[in-house]
């Protein structure tokens, strides 16, 4: 849910303000790739193409997916992914997977507690292992990594950037937060030197 919606007429000016406050070349390059995508979600046949592309990323990292039509209480139940959902949700969950330790990969919702689409919120909270501040940091990293993947695939990364509130606090800390999370992803080997998704992240890495 967007906390502070940006009117369409003000979007370009708002994005200009954001990039003007990015202090390094890498952050600006990554943001330009995000900005070059659509601010609107795909639908119909295009959305299905995006979903299949996202599932190919999931499978490349070794994630199993539940058969379509199978009832799922979680996006990730510790064994397999809910694949019958939107592409951006799938990529977000794959990002959580590659960021999680091997121990957390075997927990429902990666031991982070319930997400927006979790049906069994009590069980997810019971499985949570990270304290609130670490959950927030992991959520921010997974959000941005998923968005970077969307941009690399030509999917509407800007829509996710807006939906996941990366512009919130634009005149305070939003640009600095973006740069800091991007730096974390680079240090953890999730991105290449030019800010593209790293293709060599081992599925069983920590």
């Amino acid at each position: 849910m967007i906390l502070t919606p940006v009117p369409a007429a003000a979007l370009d000016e708002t994005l200009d303000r954001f990039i003007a406050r990015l202090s390094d070349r890498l952050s600006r390059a990554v943001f330009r790739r995000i900005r070059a995508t659509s601010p609107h979600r795909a639908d119909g046949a295009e959305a299905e193409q995006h979903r299949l592309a996202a599932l190919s990323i999931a499978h490349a990292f070794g994630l199993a997916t539940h058969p379509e039509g199978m009832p799922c209480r979680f996006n990730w139940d510790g064994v397999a992914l809910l694949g019958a959902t939107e592409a951006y949700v799938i990529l977000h969950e794959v990002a959580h997977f590659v960021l999680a330790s091997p121990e957390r990969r075997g927990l429902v919702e990666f031991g982070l507690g319930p997400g927006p689409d979790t049906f069994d919120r009590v069980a997810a909270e019971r499985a949570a292992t990270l304290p609130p501040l670490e959950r927030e940091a992991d959520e921010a990293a997974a959000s941005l990594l998923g968005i970077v993947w969307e941009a690399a695939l030509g999917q509407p990364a800007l829509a996710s950037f807006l939906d996941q509130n990366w512009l919130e606090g634009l005149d305070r800390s939003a640009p600095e937060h973006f740069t800091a999370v991007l730096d974390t992803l680079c240090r953890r080997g999730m991105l290449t030197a030019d800010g593209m998704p790293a293709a060599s992240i081992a599925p069983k890495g920590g």
Side-chain angles (χ1 to χ4, degrees), residues 20-146:
R21 291 191 54 194
L22 294 176
S23 59
D24 66 285
R25 184 178 63 180
L26 179 62
S27 294
R28 291 191 295 271
V30 171
F31 179 70
R32 286 191 186 100
R33 286 196 288 266
I34 295 169
R35 184 175 183 173
T37 68
S38 175
H40 305 294
R41 297 289 182 204
D43 56 18
E46 184 181 25
E48 178 61 10
Q49 291 175 353
H50 291 177
R51 187 181 75 88
L52 294 176
L55 285 174
S56 73
I57 298 291
H59 296 153
F61 283 103
L63 281 79
T65 52
H66 287 299
E68 290 194 33
M70 177 178 174
C72 298
R73 296 181 297 157
F74 313 100
N75 279 318
W76 173 256
D77 63 4
V79 176
L81 183 73
L82 171 63
T85 187
E86 296 90 342
Y88 72 94
V89 177
I90 294 169
L91 292 173
H92 183 83
E93 296 303 318
V94 177
H96 274 305
F97 178 85
V98 299
L99 288 163
S101 65
E103 294 77 19
R104 283 203 295 112
R105 291 177 184 179
L107 300 175
V108 298
E109 308 297 31
F110 305 104
L112 295 167
D117 302 322
T118 303
F119 283 99
D120 192 339
R121 304 184 70 81
V122 173
E125 190 60 56
R126 190 181 301 123
T129 60
L130 293 186
L133 287 179
E134 290 184 36
R135 290 192 210 180
E136 290 179 16
D138 191 274
E139 190 61 46
S143 169
L144 188 53
L145 182 55

